[in-house]
Amino acid sequence: MTMADDDIALVHAVALAVLELGDEDLKTGFAMPYPDRAQSVLDRLTLTCLSRGTRPPRSLPDLVMWCGARPLIDWPLRLPREVLGGDGLLVDVRRSRPTGLCREWAEDGNAVRPDPIRDHLEKAAAPDRHLACREFLAEYQIVSDDEVTAFAGDRAARRTWRLVRDLYRPVPLALVRRGQAARCTVCRALSAPLASGGWLCEWEACPAGEQLPELLSATGSLVLAEAARRVISGVARVEQAVVGLVRSHGAAVTREVEGLRIDWPEGGHRFVLVFDHGDPALLARAVGRSAWRDRNPLVIVPAERLRARPDYRAVFGRLVVGAPTLVADAELVDLAGGSATWGEV
Ligand SMILES: [Zn+2]
């Protein structure tokens, strides 16, 4: 392993540890002893800092502060230049949550993308219900007592609720203020209470921002577990849009472990990998690990990701293995009309 590989592995480990701490600990502090993974990451980073003549973070809260205030480019690490674009922060201080970049780093190195919803449905022997369940979960990232009662009167909702209810938890205290939790009225994600008053949608790209959310009694409400919410407001949101679009063109869509397989009504099929990466270098690494990388897949990301990084296509094109085609979700409308571009057999 080179030093750069070691340092990449260290950022991956820090990101995993931050995700594991979850909303609650990022907001309220840390009980001693620290969780094993967090302690081990802190030890590794301390050794690395000392060996390079830099003062290490003094504690786990200090490390979390580093993650929220110090871009990766300022860490005493020898990371390849191409992974140092963007703001480089692993913690979103306002929301007291890991950033999208943190999630991308946490996924780095996994052969199969982590997806607790997929794993849960496979265990429940219902992989064919995957797309329908994701639609339901996107609608109900938080569910009130009254809504659960109403599911009983609707056959489809009752069936889906039975399949997914184990993915839900009581509302964590970090998301409660004065006995209430909140749901964004634009994207239906949870809204987090801000220390300064008000609420902020937890989906970083939501246009609602601090717009007043719908308030629900926290008692009796349930929220989708944090790891599942990350999937829903990230890649699943893009995926739903892709599925809706290709179905409107008469195609059949199947959710497979790697991604989506699209079968066109006139024959032929295409493999599609959907991502929500903000970092094109980490995306190139993720596509390179995909079992579909040699199947000439379409790689789809939200258009806002491409707008946010003008060098997105260039960095991705330079680093990706094989010859996948990078497409913004907004460009699908054009592509779907022309089967010459889409209709790979
Ligand atoms: Zn929102």
Side-chain angles (χ1 to χ4, degrees):
M1 247 194 188
T2 65
M3 194 174 286
D5 287 338
D6 282 345
D7 285 357
I8 282 178
L10 181 52
V11 179
H12 168 65
V14 170
L16 278 177
V18 169
L19 281 190
E20 199 175 89
L21 292 172
D23 306 340
E24 200 72 39
D25 283 341
L26 288 183
K27 183 163 257 176
T28 56
F30 311 90
M32 298 282 271
Y34 296 150
D36 288 349
R37 191 197 294 274
Q39 182 65 59
S40 140
V41 156
L42 190 58
D43 294 346
R44 279 170 67 186
L45 185 58
T46 300
L47 282 176
T48 303
C49 287
L50 294 176
S51 72
R52 295 176 190 173
T54 309
R55 191 153 50 150
R58 288 167 310 217
S59 61
L60 193 52
D62 203 23
L63 172 58
V64 171
M65 275 178 61
W66 268 43
C67 293
R70 186 181 292 209
L72 285 175
I73 199 168
D74 293 338
W75 291 40
L77 301 177
R78 285 152 202 177
L79 297 168
R81 194 169 46 87
E82 59 266 15
V83 297
L84 294 173
D87 70 10
L89 298 176
L90 300 181
V91 167
D92 178 336
V93 176
R94 286 191 81 203
R95 294 176 174 83
S96 301
R97 276 169 61 81
T99 59
L101 181 67
C102 181
R103 297 191 283 276
E104 290 164 27
W105 271 106
E107 279 185 25
D108 193 59
N110 290 323
V112 176
R113 280 192 270 174
D115 184 339
I117 301 169
R118 176 196 62 213
D119 296 347
H120 175 77
L121 293 175
E122 275 170 10
K123 248 187 272 165
D128 57 320
R129 301 271 301 145
H130 198 133
L131 290 170
C133 284
R134 280 187 183 230
E135 270 174 46
F136 179 94
L137 296 173
E139 187 71 9
Y140 295 107
Q141 299 181 52
I142 176 168
V143 59
S144 70
D145 220 8
D146 288 347
E147 286 166 333
V148 172
T149 306
F151 295 154
D154 175 325
R155 194 166 165 271
R158 190 171 63 231
R159 190 167 162 233
T160 306
W161 178 243
R162 260 205 310 266
L163 273 176
V164 300
R165 62 166 301 145
D166 286 349
L167 289 166
Y168 286 80
R169 311 275 177 273
V171 186
L173 280 179
L175 291 170
V176 178
R177 182 163 58 213
R178 289 196 281 274
Q180 292 180 308
R183 173 194 277 154
C184 174
T185 54
V186 174
C187 74
R188 298 189 64 83
L190 279 111
S191 291
L194 294 172
S196 54
W199 300 81
L200 180 62
C201 176
E202 72 173 3
W203 175 36
E204 293 161 39
C206 182
E210 294 183 46
Q211 194 172 304
L212 192 66
E214 176 190 0
L215 297 174
L216 308 167
S217 165
T219 308
S221 292
L222 296 169
V223 297
L224 196 53
E226 219 261 336
R229 296 206 309 277
R230 287 201 298 269
V231 173
I232 288 296
S233 63
V235 68
R237 184 178 46 83
V238 192
E239 200 176 85
Q240 293 296 132
V242 170
V243 169
L245 179 72
V246 298
R247 280 187 179 156
S248 74
H249 283 76
V253 188
T254 321
R255 182 75 171 64
E256 300 193 7
V257 171
E258 283 295 311
L260 302 175
R261 176 187 160 128
I262 298 175
D263 284 275
W264 297 106
E266 66 271 26
H269 63 267
R270 189 85 198 231
F271 295 101
V272 172
L273 296 171
V274 180
F275 289 91
D276 185 34
H277 276 53
D279 188 292
L282 294 175
L283 174 64
R285 290 166 64 88
V287 172
R289 291 190 301 273
S290 168
W292 285 3
R293 67 183 172 277
D294 298 325
R295 295 187 178 186
N296 191 24
L298 276 180
V299 176
I300 297 179
V301 294
E304 67 258 22
R305 297 295 194 185
L306 294 173
R307 276 198 296 274
R309 286 279 303 265
D311 61 343
Y312 202 110
R313 285 181 198 274
V315 172
F316 178 78
R318 199 166 59 239
L319 298 175
V320 75
V321 179
T325 307
L326 180 66
V327 176
D329 54 354
E331 294 167 335
L332 287 178
V333 180
D334 303 330
L335 287 176
S339 59
T341 316
W342 271 94
E344 187 83 1
V345 177

